[in-house]
Amino acid sequence: MQYTREAALNRLMESYKAYFNIDIADNTQEYLRAVCEFFEHTEKYVLSRQANLWAANCEEFVYLFSVEQLTTEIFEKCRDFAREDGMKRAHIGPGHMYTYITPVFICDACQEDARRAVRKCRIYKSFKFSLHGWMDFHAAVLEVGSNRITTNGSGKCVEKVLKNVLFKDKKKRRRLL
């Protein structure tokens, strides 16, 4: 199925709405269309909540960018913005398990050097030798002109989400359920 950038963006936001808090972007960042936030808190206790054995906080921030032609300069600018803003939103400290920062670029076309920069993007940070968790950076590019998806090594899970949301037939999915 062929999408326009706006249609793909709306379909992704509709899908993310079930699990994420979605903030429609204002005009502070030129290409940013929405920020999706996910927070999860899990804990294990014995008999009562006062006897807490462990607790873990997990967070994910998805940045949806819409660009006509993705270039390396635009990718680097948006990558740096997403990393900086995601680290500001993260709650790092005791009980923090992980934070995923995920920029998703929806574009009509992508230059080959930008595609190479996405594949080479490796950003990982551990906090206090992973005692306070870690941050991993997932990046994905969806070219609506050719339905091509490009991700970095950590972003393979984002590729699955994009394929399931945008390219799976609803009738086939219902039969499987």
Side-chain angles (χ1 to χ4, degrees):
M1 178 172 202
Q2 194 74 0
Y3 287 99
T4 63
R5 279 186 293 146
E6 202 61 38
L9 181 70
N10 289 336
R11 181 128 183 193
L12 275 176
M13 286 196 313
E14 188 64 33
S15 172
Y16 278 131
K17 189 167 56 172
Y19 300 101
F20 288 74
N21 299 328
I22 298 178
D23 295 329
I24 304 299
D26 53 7
N27 294 332
T28 57
Q29 218 292 338
E30 184 178 356
Y31 305 106
L32 183 66
R33 296 297 173 253
V35 178
C36 308
E37 301 174 315
F38 172 79
F39 299 98
E40 178 184 1
H41 175 78
T42 56
E43 62 185 352
K44 185 72 170 184
Y45 54 88
V46 180
L47 297 176
S48 74
R49 289 190 186 255
Q50 283 75 29
N52 194 345
L53 296 175
W54 59 267
N57 297 314
C58 307
E59 331 176 285
E60 184 171 356
F61 306 109
V62 178
Y63 295 83
L64 299 174
F65 294 100
S66 179
V67 182
E68 188 173 331
Q69 170 98 11
L70 185 63
T71 63
T72 305
E73 295 80 29
I74 294 172
F75 169 72
E76 290 172 352
K77 178 182 172 185
C78 295
R79 176 199 64 198
D80 295 342
F81 171 80
R83 181 179 182 191
E84 185 179 311
D85 189 63
M87 290 305 293
K88 286 179 190 173
R89 294 172 187 259
H91 302 95
I92 310 300
H96 174 259
M97 186 171 166
Y98 65 80
T99 296
Y100 294 147
I101 299 173
T102 309
V104 176
F105 297 89
I106 302 169
C107 58
D108 293 328
C110 179
Q111 293 180 353
E112 190 57 41
D113 59 338
R115 194 176 292 117
R116 210 173 306 119
V118 170
R119 280 194 220 108
K120 288 183 178 182
C121 181
R122 305 275 187 265
I123 301 173
Y124 176 87
K125 181 175 173 98
S126 64
F127 306 103
K128 297 208 177 187
F129 303 103
S130 295
L131 291 173
H132 287 187
W134 66 89
M135 180 277 294
D136 200 8
F137 195 83
H138 304 168
V141 175
L142 167 66
E143 295 175 67
V144 294
S146 62
N147 288 342
R148 184 174 180 181
I149 299 172
T150 306
T151 66
N152 66 351
S154 299
K156 296 298 179 188
C157 56
V158 181
E159 181 179 12
K160 288 181 182 179
V161 170
L162 292 174
K163 284 181 179 178
N164 284 335
V165 170
L166 298 172
F167 303 124
K168 292 277 180 150
D169 188 348
K170 285 185 179 182
K171 291 179 184 177
K172 288 180 185 177
R173 204 173 327 147
R174 280 192 208 130
R175 278 188 238 139
L176 295 174
L177 298 176

